[in-house]
């Protein structure tokens, strides 16, 4: 059973999500909060696997709250005109972001994916955000990249380009379990928690240059 917490200042929206999620045999809404500060307080007493987090809320917004959450996976709720919030949330530790009007099937898939350890970030969307904020990215690679082996660096770049573990395994002609091992070491050496942050890290480190051309 996937234990979900809803964090949004709109009670009506929480009720809608609660109804949808409650109908699933493998998902249970175990907690709710109307702002980030309250969410952090509730998480001290309730076991949660995935937090569905709104961005703009009173007292403490979703990005700041995400920085304080270390156990559960966080999925950020955003809109097209709030790309900067989604970008900041991923850097803060979120495992991905969804649009507030996301179709039910995509919402359920996203919750199950992050619970399984994957990140929910469309590569094209993240590239668009990074291209928009490229001027703010540092020009020098962090020192941690020097600790990566050639194969780990290769896996990092493939992940940053949106490849799945299965696709990477096929291209490198290794077992998928081997790719998972390499990726685990990349996460540990870089001090990041999931694939979403690996992508951000690769762009910030200058390992991949954001494109400024609009996506077709």
């Amino acid at each position: 059973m996937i234990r979900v917490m809803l964090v949004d200042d709109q009670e009506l929206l929480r009720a809608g999500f609660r109804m949808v999620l409650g109908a699933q045999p493998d998902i249970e809404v175990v907690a709710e909060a109307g702002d980030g500060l309250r969410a952090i307080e509730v998480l001290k007493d309730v076991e949660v696997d995935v937090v569905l987090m709104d961005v703009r809320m009173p007292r403490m917004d979703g990005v700041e709250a995400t920085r304080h959450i270390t156990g559960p996976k966080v999925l950020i709720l955003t809109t097209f005109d709030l790309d900067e919030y989604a970008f900041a949330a991923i850097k803060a530790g979120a495992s991905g972001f969804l649009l507030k009007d996301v179709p039910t099937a995509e919402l359920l898939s996203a919750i199950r994916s992050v619970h399984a350890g994957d990140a929910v970030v469309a590569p094209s969307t993240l590239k668009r955000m990074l291209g928009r904020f490229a001027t703010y990215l540092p020009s020098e690679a962090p020192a941690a990249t020097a600790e990566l082996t050639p194969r780990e660096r290769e896996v990092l770049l493939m992940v940053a380009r949106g490849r799945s573990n299965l696709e990477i395994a096929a291209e490198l002609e290794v077992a998928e379990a081997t790719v998972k091992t390499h990726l685990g070491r990349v996460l540990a050496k870089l001090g990041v928690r999931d694939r979403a942050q690996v992508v951000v890290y690769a762009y910030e480190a200058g390992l991949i240059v954001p494109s400024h051309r609009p996506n077709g």
Side-chain angles (χ1 to χ4, degrees), residues 93-113:
S95 295
F97 56 92
L98 299 170
L99 298 178
K100 279 205 170 184
D101 59 352
V102 63
T104 298
E106 289 185 27
L107 171 66
L108 299 174
S109 175
I111 291 173
R112 292 174 179 131
S113 292

Side-chain angles (χ1 to χ4, degrees), residues 196-207:
Q197 288 196 320
V198 166
V199 178
V200 172
Y201 189 101
Y203 277 85
E204 289 191 320
L207 302 177

Side-chain angles (χ1 to χ4, degrees), residues 94-145:
S95 295
F97 56 92
L98 299 170
L99 298 178
K100 279 205 170 184
D101 59 352
V102 63
T104 298
E106 289 185 27
L107 171 66
L108 299 174
S109 175
I111 291 173
R112 292 174 179 131
S113 292
V114 298
H115 180 252
D118 293 327
V120 182
V121 183
S124 60
T125 303
L126 189 52
K127 286 177 182 177
R128 175 169 56 85
M129 287 195 301
L130 288 166
R132 179 177 173 186
F133 300 108
T135 54
Y136 301 102
L137 300 181
S139 58
E140 296 183 4
T145 56

